[in-house]
Amino acid sequence: MTDDLRSAGAPTLEDVARAAGVSRATVSRVVNGVRNVDPVIQEAVRRAVSVTGYTPNRAARSLVTRRADAIALVVSGAGVEPGAAEEAEDTTESGQGSSFTAQVFADPFFGRVVTGVVNYLRPRGMHPVLMFAESSRAREDVVAYLRQGRADGALVVSTHAEDPLPALIAEAGLAAVLFARPARPVPVSYVDLAHQDGARLAAEHLLGRGCRRIATISGPLDVPAGQARLTGFRDTMARHGHPYIPIVEGRFTQESGEAAMERLLAEHPDLDGVFAANDLMALGACHVLRERGRSVPGDVAVVGFDDSSAALACRPPLTTVRQPVEGMAAEMTRLLLDRLSRPDGPVTSVIFEPELVVRGSA
């Protein structure tokens, strides 16, 4: 930066124009991402921006581009029954309705989603706005927020199969991408994992270790991922001559994994292998097995799913099926930005492949 620019205060468009040898209007077009500017001129302007230290005025830029340069990252829950919405909203306002957000922050999965989104947006000068939609009013607020242009689009992580938010966003014609296939078809792009293939890897690994009395702690069966992981596990076991597998449904929490393991041990004390449909439930299962004097993996081998921080916190470290959440979240964000640049583009899906990560528990 020259001494003249240092003494004159913050660099302006005119300063950039003089440094690049172009008009102020041309600089404005390049800075605001307007297309059809000669690439040579674009590069000259970018060099001038770097030399002068010019920083675009975000508010002024938004008037030109009609973009907020912000993305709503929405964690959405189940529908609230008529008559219960007001109660849920009242408890939230009084500080007693925080169980939904507490559950979100307690699950390492959501932290990994945020990491993937932030890492993709930050180099592009964009920011996520975290929103929660656990009630009908909160969902209306999200849709209104997007309609008002306060965010350019939404990345939606639903925690329940009956979540109406994806359909509401689609009906409003708003740009959005979902993490995971919706339970009911809606014209919205999504990223997901080949969950059945991941469960197949878990079943084959337990069988390959010599386990023969195998049970599973499923995820919630009102969630597509929970259904798919159970289906993939049962189908693989059946193909290997095990038509009956004891099943206890969990809720993707450590506490539900502990309760499920207690029940499985009571009903099937001779089991020698367990597949838990996520790492938190597997962590809970290992905790109960240790309390009951069962060694892992000597007496009971345990396989989880996700390869989250819970897998490394487990003792022994958890053998698990890796779900590349950060990469999936980044791809979800890329799809949304592509949608914003091509509003008439087709709805699409991207399916990631799972990978077995072998550690000490199985």
Side-chain angles (χ1 to χ4, degrees):
M1 188 184 296
T2 66
D3 291 338
D4 289 342
L5 288 177
R6 286 195 189 96
S7 62
T12 65
L13 281 178
E14 287 78 6
D15 296 325
V16 178
R18 280 194 297 270
V22 298
S23 69
R24 183 186 187 282
T26 297
V27 173
S28 178
R29 293 175 68 200
V30 174
V31 169
N32 290 312
V34 177
R35 298 180 181 181
N36 302 323
V37 178
D38 185 280
V40 175
I41 294 176
Q42 289 186 40
E43 182 57 31
V45 171
R46 292 192 183 104
R47 284 200 302 269
V49 167
S50 178
V51 168
T52 60
Y54 172 75
T55 302
N57 183 307
R58 189 171 295 276
R61 179 180 175 184
S62 68
L63 292 174
V64 177
T65 63
R66 296 185 180 181
R67 291 281 179 85
D69 283 344
I71 297 297
L73 175 55
V74 186
V75 183
S76 185
V80 175
E81 294 298 324
E86 292 78 6
E87 180 181 350
E89 288 150 5
D90 288 344
T91 56
T92 298
E93 292 172 1
S94 65
Q96 299 172 3
S98 60
S99 59
F100 179 77
T101 54
Q103 180 180 347
V104 168
F105 287 121
D107 191 332
F109 166 82
F110 295 103
R112 296 175 67 191
V113 171
V114 172
T115 297
V117 171
V118 169
N119 287 348
Y120 192 89
L121 288 178
R122 182 181 290 162
R124 293 160 178 81
M126 302 183 74
H127 308 281
V129 178
L130 183 60
M131 305 183 74
F132 295 96
E134 75 280 19
S135 68
S136 57
R137 181 179 297 175
R139 286 188 289 274
E140 292 170 3
D141 289 344
V142 168
V143 173
Y145 192 88
L146 295 169
R147 284 185 184 275
Q148 293 162 8
R150 298 168 69 183
D152 298 319
L155 303 168
V156 181
V157 182
S158 287
T159 62
H160 197 280
E162 296 303 316
D163 180 15
L165 184 62
L168 292 174
I169 289 176
E171 290 166 4
L174 299 166
V177 178
L178 310 179
F179 194 108
R181 174 177 57 88
R184 297 179 181 177
V186 291
V188 179
S189 297
Y190 65 85
V191 301
D192 206 349
L193 186 77
H195 296 282
Q196 292 194 31
D197 290 344
R200 173 181 56 78
L201 293 174
E204 290 176 346
H205 182 73
L206 288 170
L207 290 168
R209 281 185 53 89
C211 298
R212 291 297 178 265
R213 299 176 299 280
I214 301 172
T216 183
I217 302 171
S218 78
L221 298 181
D222 55 0
V223 174
Q227 298 170 2
R229 293 175 192 182
L230 177 59
T231 297
F233 189 77
R234 294 179 67 184
D235 284 354
T236 302
M237 294 298 294
R239 288 173 183 271
H240 287 81
H242 298 268
Y244 170 71
I245 300 297
I247 300 164
V248 176
E249 182 178 358
R251 302 304 302 173
F252 282 151
T253 64
Q254 181 176 340
E255 295 75 15
S256 70
E258 292 174 353
M261 193 70 250
E262 294 275 14
R263 179 175 164 187
L264 285 172
L265 285 176
E267 297 177 358
H268 306 278
D270 62 342
L271 60 83
D272 61 3
V274 174
F275 167 54
N278 84 334
D279 291 343
L280 281 174
M281 295 192 301
L283 180 63
C286 288
H287 177 71
V288 169
L289 287 168
R290 285 197 307 272
E291 285 189 334
R292 297 294 177 270
R294 307 291 182 92
S295 69
V296 177
D299 296 324
V300 182
V302 178
V303 177
F305 203 112
D306 282 339
D307 195 23
S308 66
S309 58
L312 296 178
C314 189
R315 291 295 177 267
L318 195 63
T319 292
T320 185
V321 177
R322 176 163 176 75
Q323 178 174 206
V325 175
E326 294 87 350
M328 294 168 69
E331 180 63 13
M332 175 174 65
T333 312
R334 186 196 68 79
L335 290 176
L336 180 59
L337 297 189
D338 185 63
R339 185 71 173 175
L340 293 172
S341 65
R342 297 189 303 132
D344 297 327
V347 171
T348 189
S349 59
V350 178
I351 308 299
F352 285 71
E353 296 299 324
E355 175 187 357
L356 183 71
V357 179
V358 179
R359 297 194 180 98
S361 70

